[in-house]
């Protein structure tokens, strides 16, 4: 189990983000967790120089719907430099957890293969609610922070790779 604080990053290694535009698609399921992840990503964007008006948020009902939400966001905002998919799936007593986690993972992978706008995977797949709390602003920091940093770096990669 990772014990690293996900909220620690070195601003010196982060590209200038002032002109980047980001989308964030947030699952409403496990809202306390996903709101914490969103807040971590949003605050990190602002801390790294992203303008507030350059951040678009859409909500979707659950983690499985993140795929469609991200796809439609890519299509609706062609000026976005990256999109973050934020969700939280917590193990229950049925195989539903496995199907949702696999579907979301594969769906977001497919979006990255099919589109020029990177989609960052920020979906917690935890065994317990406490694990999700610990990774969405608790003792292990905030995975949303890590996702925002990854989005900035991927936006820069996308910009550098454009001829």
């Amino acid at each position: 189990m990772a014990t690293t604080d996900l909220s620690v990053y070195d601003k010196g290694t982060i590209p200038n983000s002032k002109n980047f535009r980001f989308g964030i698609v947030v699952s409403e399921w496990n809202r306390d967790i996903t709101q914490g992840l969103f807040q971590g990503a949003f605050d990190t964007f602002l801390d790294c120089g992203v303008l507030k008006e350059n951040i678009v948020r859409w909500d979707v009902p659950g983690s499985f719907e993140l795929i469609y939400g991200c796809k439609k966001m890519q299509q609706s905002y062609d000026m976005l430099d990256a999109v973050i998919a934020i969700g939280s799936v917590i193990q229950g007593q049925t195989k539903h957890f496995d199907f949702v986690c696999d579907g979301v993972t594969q769906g977001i992978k497919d979006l990255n293969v099919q589109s020029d706008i990177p989609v960052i995977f920020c979906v917690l797949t935890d065994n317990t609610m406490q694990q999700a709390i610990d990774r969405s602003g608790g003792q292990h920091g905030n995975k949303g922070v890590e996702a925002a940093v990854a989005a900035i770096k991927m936006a820069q990669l996308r910009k550098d790779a454009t001829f």
Side-chain angles (χ1 to χ4, degrees), residues 110-131:
D110 290 345
L111 292 175
N112 279 302
V113 171
Q114 297 165 1
S115 174
D116 185 48
I117 300 172
V119 178
I120 307 304
F121 186 87
C122 183
V123 180
L124 299 183
T125 57
D126 295 306
N127 291 321
T128 67
M129 179 61 80
Q130 187 60 52
Q131 287 176 339

Side-chain angles (χ1 to χ4, degrees), residues 85-147:
I86 293 180
S88 172
V89 186
I90 298 172
Q91 177 71 57
Q93 297 179 357
T94 68
K95 294 188 69 67
H96 182 73
F97 173 85
D98 298 324
F99 296 127
V100 171
C101 293
D102 186 53
V104 173
T105 301
Q106 295 305 317
I108 292 174
K109 180 266 302 175
D110 290 345
L111 292 175
N112 279 302
V113 171
Q114 297 165 1
S115 174
D116 185 48
I117 300 172
V119 178
I120 307 304
F121 186 87
C122 183
V123 180
L124 299 183
T125 57
D126 295 306
N127 291 321
T128 67
M129 179 61 80
Q130 187 60 52
Q131 287 176 339
I133 291 167
D134 291 345
R135 289 161 180 78
S136 61
Q139 72 175 352
H140 294 305
N142 192 314
K143 185 75 172 170
V145 171
E146 183 180 315

Side-chain angles (χ1 to χ4, degrees), residues 24-112:
I24 306 175
V25 181
V26 182
S27 168
E28 295 172 338
W29 194 258
N30 293 322
R31 183 174 285 290
D32 289 345
I33 301 303
T34 60
Q35 183 57 33
L37 295 168
F38 167 79
Q39 199 62 55
F42 185 81
D43 292 346
T44 300
F45 279 148
L46 296 181
D47 185 51
C48 292
V50 178
L51 302 176
K52 187 176 183 178
E53 59 268 20
N54 288 345
I55 304 169
V56 177
R57 176 185 173 150
W58 285 4
D59 290 346
V60 296
S63 290
F64 203 79
E65 291 77 24
L66 288 168
I67 304 158
Y68 184 80
C70 289
K71 174 184 160 186
K72 294 313 272 184
M73 184 175 273
Q74 288 174 323
Q75 294 170 346
S76 299
Y77 294 92
D78 62 346
M79 298 301 293
L80 290 178
D81 294 291
V83 174
I84 299 175
I86 293 180
S88 172
V89 186
I90 298 172
Q91 177 71 57
Q93 297 179 357
T94 68
K95 294 188 69 67
H96 182 73
F97 173 85
D98 298 324
F99 296 127
V100 171
C101 293
D102 186 53
V104 173
T105 301
Q106 295 305 317
I108 292 174
K109 180 266 302 175
D110 290 345
L111 292 175
N112 279 302

